Amino acid sequence: MTHGGTVQTSSADAPVNPSPTKSEVVVAEHDTLKYHLLGPSLTKAGQDAVDQQKVSEIIYNASKGSKFFNNEEYKDKNLTQKIEKILARKRQLERIDLTSDLRRADEYIAEVELSRDLSQTVVHVDCDAFYAAVEELDHPELKHVPMAVGKGVLTTCNYHARKFGCRSGMAGFVAMKLCPQLICLPLNFEKYTKKAQEVREVLAQYDPRFQSASMDEAYLNITQYCSDHEMTPDEAVGQLRAQVFERAKITVSAGVAANARIAKIASNRNKPNGQFRVASDRATILAFMRDLPTRKVNGVGRVFERELDAIGVKTCGDIYAQRAFLSTLFGEKALHFLLQVHLGLGHTSVRPAEEYERKSVGTESTFRDMSGKEELRAKLRWIAEELEKDLARTQHKGRTLVLKIKLHTYEVLTRQVVPPKAVSTADDLYT
């Protein structure tokens, strides 16, 4: 495969834009902060029809002056400064010969294009508003009103709540400003775990080696199943979704594609209770990726999105034109990731998570503000006991122990220690 292209250079005679006034800078900073305050779950299903500008204004005014706001403002300013450095570096690069960078990017494109596999059918199954859906089974009166799971921070919310702009990861007090009638229920992981097992029992019928990505989502390779049962991918996935509903009484959405990356994106297209397939041919895949906002791609968060947007990459189709700059600005690993995204490439092999080399095992918990020594020690002991269970389940011991704490100011501190021996029991973890 060949691509044509040139690297744009700026003219020394180009007009110089006047420097922004102080008030314009403040407005611009507040605009980026308002977008930042929308949180990491902006692309969740149910948010596309929401007036995000209105939501950002409410979040901004509701949280202004809080410790949460101050921390987000601090992070946003740091990101803005980082982007200014990225743009300054890009301006320098535009004045030099980038032929070698362009050639290396094109060589990588040609190399990975050879790995494209269109013979497999990969499915990404995602439970719809999982925790909320499970709670609605026990509380059917909540099915038609805005409700969420989680108190201090929302873990998820149903689609009625999402219409108001509520989403996972949002502070509870902010959600109540967006939707005063929101009903919040406490978490019940034991209940969710049992329901997740019911879903997995169905998935195993289609691919015994399915890969759980989390409690409420999984990847399957149904190539063999479709062949054995003489079914199209659409028929097989439709049948799977119906079986899940019959067994677990909750709905799932699915994305069907030639690889896991595209399947993950596609599963969000027809939520809730729907499915979407991207045909397994190169032209369709490239067209699907071309106009896709970078934020829709797993691995591009709100920070990287803003950095890419600053250099002119708003969609996956924009990546190609900027390929000569990417390695210098973001690193070789990021270049390779972005070029694969542009091409719509991803892995086709699906296997149980246990078979991947595990580098860490962890547990975390969100709780109300506390500062008493005894309270904190009791919480640490509980976390140690939970981590012991996870280590026993995964049959691992740890050589490095890491403690991450989020302060009441929302600042995150991390400390780590290397014990004299590998640890796995709550007693060793706690002491």
Side-chain angles (χ1 to χ4, degrees):
M1 181 194 70
T2 60
H3 281 286
T6 59
V7 179
Q8 297 288 329
T9 56
S10 59
S11 168
D13 297 325
V16 178
N17 292 325
S19 299
T21 64
K22 185 174 181 180
S23 61
E24 288 174 333
V25 171
V26 171
V27 169
E29 285 180 353
H30 280 242
D31 284 343
T32 60
L33 175 58
K34 287 173 183 176
Y35 184 74
H36 192 80
L37 288 169
L38 286 171
S41 299
L42 180 61
T43 58
K44 283 281 189 181
Q47 297 292 334
D48 289 345
V50 176
D51 184 346
Q52 299 296 350
Q53 185 173 354
K54 179 180 178 182
V55 170
S56 69
E57 288 287 345
I58 294 173
I59 296 174
Y60 182 88
N61 292 322
S63 57
K64 193 173 184 179
S66 69
K67 292 164 185 173
F68 164 77
F69 180 93
N70 294 338
N71 186 61
E72 293 298 304
E73 185 177 37
Y74 173 77
K75 290 192 293 186
D76 184 68
K77 284 183 178 178
N78 283 345
L79 177 57
T80 298
Q81 291 171 2
K82 182 182 178 183
I83 288 173
E84 289 171 355
K85 292 177 181 177
I86 290 172
L87 290 175
R89 180 62 175 141
K90 186 170 186 279
R91 287 192 292 270
Q92 292 175 345
L93 293 174
E94 288 171 336
R95 300 189 187 99
I96 64 177
D97 184 2
L98 295 177
T99 302
S100 61
D101 298 86
L102 190 65
R103 185 180 65 252
R104 281 198 302 272
D106 287 343
E107 287 173 351
Y108 183 75
I109 288 173
E111 176 189 338
V112 294
E113 184 62 52
L114 293 174
S115 70
R116 188 186 294 276
D117 183 357
L118 300 175
S119 67
Q120 303 299 299
T121 302
V122 178
V123 182
H124 180 255
V125 175
D126 194 5
C127 299
D128 299 319
F130 181 57
Y131 294 173
V134 175
E135 292 295 348
E136 286 173 354
L137 293 177
D138 292 339
H139 306 279
E141 71 278 7
L142 299 180
K143 281 187 177 182
H144 305 293
V145 297
M147 65 86 68
V149 177
K151 293 287 188 177
V153 176
L154 305 191
T155 305
T156 192
C157 52
N158 66 7
Y159 287 90
H160 294 290
R162 295 183 191 195
K163 292 176 183 176
F164 292 86
C166 300
R167 63 201 64 164
S168 59
M170 178 175 281
F173 76 92
V174 173
M176 295 303 294
K177 288 286 186 179
L178 291 169
C179 181
Q181 67 270 40
L182 183 69
I183 298 172
C184 294
L185 299 182
L187 287 158
N188 187 331
F189 283 110
E190 183 179 353
K191 185 192 298 185
Y192 312 143
T193 302
K194 289 180 179 177
K195 187 59 64 177
Q197 184 55 37
E198 293 177 13
V199 175
R200 289 169 182 164
E201 288 170 2
V202 175
L203 302 185
Q205 297 175 32
Y206 291 81
D207 181 5
R209 292 173 55 74
F210 74 88
Q211 177 185 335
S212 291
S214 66
M215 187 182 290
D216 62 345
E217 61 177 317
Y219 293 94
L220 302 83
N221 187 319
I222 62 169
T223 310
Q224 191 62 50
Y225 184 92
C226 289
S227 176
D228 292 345
H229 294 81
E230 298 182 343
M231 299 177 74
T232 67
D234 288 332
E235 290 170 342
V237 173
Q239 178 180 279
L240 178 153
R241 292 176 44 245
Q243 282 186 247
V244 168
F245 183 74
E246 182 179 353
R247 174 76 173 87
K249 299 298 183 290
I250 63 170
T251 63
V252 298
S253 295
V256 188
N259 61 62
R261 172 171 286 137
I262 301 177
K264 167 80 171 175
I265 299 167
S267 68
N268 209 44
R269 276 296 175 98
N270 284 331
K271 267 185 166 288
N273 195 23
Q275 62 189 66
F276 185 85
R277 180 172 66 89
V278 179
S280 295
D281 68 82
R282 183 176 178 276
T284 299
I285 291 170
L286 291 176
F288 177 76
M289 299 302 295
R290 184 182 59 234
D291 300 323
L292 188 76
T294 58
R295 184 69 177 273
K296 296 284 187 179
V297 177
N298 195 33
V300 179
R302 50 183 170 167
V303 172
F304 198 22
E305 178 197 25
R306 265 193 66 195
E307 293 172 350
L308 290 172
D309 183 81
I311 67 164
V313 178
K314 298 179 184 295
T315 69
C316 297
D318 295 332
I319 293 169
Y320 182 76
Q322 305 295 334
R323 67 196 186 284
F325 304 104
L326 299 176
S327 179
T328 303
L329 295 179
F330 304 114
E332 195 79 2
K333 191 174 180 181
L335 167 70
H336 292 172
F337 166 74
L338 289 170
L339 289 178
Q340 288 184 40
V341 165
H342 167 70
L343 294 169
L345 294 172
H347 68 84
T348 58
S349 62
V350 174
R351 51 183 171 149
E354 296 77 26
E355 292 186 11
Y356 287 92
E357 182 183 1
R358 186 123 189 193
K359 296 186 178 180
S360 66
V361 179
T363 185
E364 61 181 60
S365 173
T366 301
F367 45 87
R368 60 178 176 79
D369 287 1
M370 62 174 66
S371 58
K373 290 183 179 180
E374 293 307 313
E375 260 191 320
L376 289 170
R377 288 194 181 107
K379 179 60 70 174
L380 278 173
R381 179 69 199 190
W382 178 82
I383 291 175
E385 290 170 354
E386 291 298 304
L387 184 53
E388 179 185 30
K389 295 175 187 176
D390 289 338
L391 287 166
R393 178 176 53 81
T394 58
Q395 298 183 333
H396 280 83
K397 290 186 177 182
R399 288 296 305 162
T400 303
L401 184 61
V402 181
L403 178 65
K404 184 174 75 172
I405 304 172
K406 180 179 283 187
L407 302 180
H408 66 295
T409 58
Y410 289 85
E411 179 185 3
V412 177
L413 303 179
T414 304
R415 298 291 183 270
Q416 67 179 46
V417 63
V418 179
K421 64 176 183 178
V423 294
S424 63
T425 68
D427 288 341
D428 288 337
L429 292 165
Y430 179 69
T431 57

